[in-house]
Amino acid sequence: MASTLRLLCAFSHSLLLFFHFYAVFGRIPTTLDGPFEPVTVPFDESLRGNAVDLPDTDPRVQRRVKGFEPEQISVSLSSNYDSVWISWITGDYQIGENVKPLNPKTVGSIVSYGLLRYPLNHKAAGYSLVYNQLYPFEGLSNYTSGIIHHVRLTGLRPSTLYFYRCGDPSIPAMSSIYSFRTMPVSDPQNYPKRIAIVGDLGLTYNTTMTISHIKSNEPDLLLLVGDVTYANLYLSNGSGSDCYSCSFSNTPIHETYQPRWDYWGRFMQTLVSKVPIMVVEGNHEIEEQAENQTFVAYSSRFAFPSEESHSSSAFYYSFNAGGIHFILLGAYIAYNESADQYRWLKRDLANVDRTVTPWLIAAWHPPWYSSYKAHYREVECMRVAMEELLYSYGVDIVFTGHVHAYERSNRVYNYTLDRCAPVYITVGDGGNREKMAIGHADEPGNCPEPATTPDKYMGGFCAANFTSGPAAGKFCWDRQPDYSAFRESSFGHGILEVKNETWALWTWYRNQDSNKVAGDQIYIVRQPELCPALVGGPERHWVA
């Protein structure tokens, strides 16, 4: 019976996709054909309850190196093609009541690299650090990391394969030889072939399926829009829960089991040691600890092009990937007009040359436009503060996570369909422990009370009843909103393929399908002639 239901669900999904993709002249639809009538794919009940963590006994998360040999190796981009960061960890973590941090000065941070595997005729040195997760309460385990190394390579050629190995040659303790390919030079004709975009990964068996599918798509870049390891779903003794606040609400500090970060780094190394990964923080990276410290693991473990993009923070920065300018923003740090982040964003947008990088893509963790009950209108204050600025400069696409499902919007500005507004895509379905979001705010009984919606970390209250449009006088729509073009609760990831300065193909893949079956697909088309990026100019506003 169960198998029959699964077949019926799969058949129904195939029919929906057929009409969704090919109703427009028998081809992949484009945003020029929109706005589209909202589509909801019914939830497949057989997918529920599969979010099981990889245990620490899994070989993919166990430490395999000896002494101070490098592990958890990763590549990330600098602000332009001519520079990348190589990161790794040496030495093992410690966890318990009494921990003694390693001395970063005892192990060098060296990368040997070159165009040939032998010899690696260039060298670069970087810096290293150790971070601690400490709790001043009896019975809680403290943590100290291995030595984290970050080395920046400069003077690189565009679209070029480089070989490298990292470590300390004086010990000696060096890694095997790995490789990465630099981004194309920034101009309207050059783009990475495929960019993988995913959110809310965690480290479950669903995560392993997501990463396996990403690898099969052979991306040139991986963008992770927050919620990395979900280490904060665990007490410091390693026991965990699907809902931290439900199970551990009486703890004086929200504990976090930091070894999950090490497990995640080991598991991801096979991908991110050769494909650059760019990360922005999510709420699960907050990780409160003693002395009001937050985001310590996130800020320590990843290298960010903050300085290169003239940002003073790891929470917001920008970089170029060929003819795309990416802007990553922080939803859990001040974002109003008087904040450093807002001022930085304004400067960064003003410096974007659309004749060099025509595509402008933004990303952060919690979505502004989501029709799911989970986190509904949670960061309305961020939208109110920043939407006009991003709209005025003609941002093309916005990627977010946080809601554990998939949703793609029509072009929308201030809840109004607008041909000059961005397409918003939520990909918070990477495979995390907390399972999928299923309920929609427009379904009977699902509309939350407005007072319950503000994000607890940032505070503030900006969400109120709509004053115009089909939902006027209400806090939620009574049907799938017009801004929501397609939504489905399934684990998966997306691939962005920018074809030229006006056309980009977006494809979302579901985990339960074979690698090359598209769950959602559309060409996103820029129209700079209709939508000039003029700040505050009347020509900018184009209502559908």
Side-chain angles (χ1 to χ4, degrees), residues 120-307:
L120 299 172
N121 52 9
H122 298 283
K123 284 189 177 181
Y127 68 95
S128 60
L129 63 119
V130 166
Y131 80 89
N132 306 308
Q133 193 86 346
L134 304 177
Y135 302 102
F137 303 103
E138 185 177 349
L140 304 191
S141 296
N142 296 320
Y143 171 94
T144 183
S145 72
I147 301 171
I148 302 169
H149 305 262
H150 299 298
V151 177
R152 186 182 173 202
L153 313 185
T154 58
L156 306 178
R157 302 176 187 177
S159 301
T160 301
L161 183 68
Y162 282 88
F163 297 93
Y164 74 95
R165 62 189 308 201
C166 57
D168 185 345
S170 69
I171 294 179
M174 296 293 289
S175 72
S176 300
I177 296 177
Y178 297 87
S179 65
F180 65 87
R181 185 173 294 277
T182 52
M183 290 294 104
V185 69
S186 291
D187 71 42
Q189 305 307 316
N190 287 314
Y191 300 92
K193 289 182 180 178
R194 285 175 293 275
I195 301 171
I197 301 170
V198 68
D200 303 67
L201 261 180
L203 191 56
T204 69
Y205 287 101
N206 288 313
T207 307
T208 67
M209 181 68 73
T210 301
I211 296 302
S212 176
H213 282 196
I214 288 175
K215 287 179 180 178
S216 73
N217 278 315
E218 299 181 338
D220 301 292
L221 174 64
L222 173 63
L223 178 63
L224 175 51
V225 291
D227 283 1
V228 180
T229 70
Y230 289 78
N232 73 331
L233 287 185
Y234 299 82
L235 290 169
S236 62
N237 65 10
S239 61
S241 170
D242 292 341
C243 173
Y244 190 103
S245 60
C246 302
S247 298
F248 312 137
S249 56
N250 295 323
T251 53
I253 288 180
H254 274 200
E255 302 168 48
T256 170
Y257 187 61
Q258 287 296 293
R260 297 297 301 183
W261 280 96
D262 296 286
Y263 302 162
W264 190 89
R266 292 164 187 161
F267 173 78
M268 292 292 290
Q269 178 177 301
T270 56
L271 175 62
V272 299
S273 59
K274 61 180 180 179
V275 176
I277 179 173
M278 305 303 287
V279 183
V280 69
E281 77 280 2
N283 57 297
H284 283 275
E285 280 70 74
I286 296 172
E287 296 189 320
E288 300 164 304
Q289 60 164 304
E291 299 178 356
N292 296 319
Q293 292 193 70
T294 54
F295 296 103
V296 178
Y298 164 83
S299 300
S300 301
R301 290 176 178 267
F302 297 107
F304 306 94
S306 301
E307 183 178 349

Side-chain angles (χ1 to χ4, degrees), residues 2-16 41-46 488 510:
S3 60
T4 303
L5 286 173
R6 281 194 291 271
L7 286 172
L8 286 172
C9 287
F11 179 71
S12 299
H13 179 262
S14 298
L15 283 177
L16 278 167
V41 175
F43 177 63
D44 182 352
E45 293 289 345
S46 68
E488 180 178 355
R510 310 186 320 161

Side-chain angles (χ1 to χ4, degrees), residues 372-377 441-442 445-453 475-476:
Y372 284 85
K373 178 182 178 181
H375 308 298
Y376 179 70
R377 300 181 72 182
D442 47 89
N446 275 354
C447 185
E449 287 295 324
T452 67
T453 58
F475 191 65
C476 303

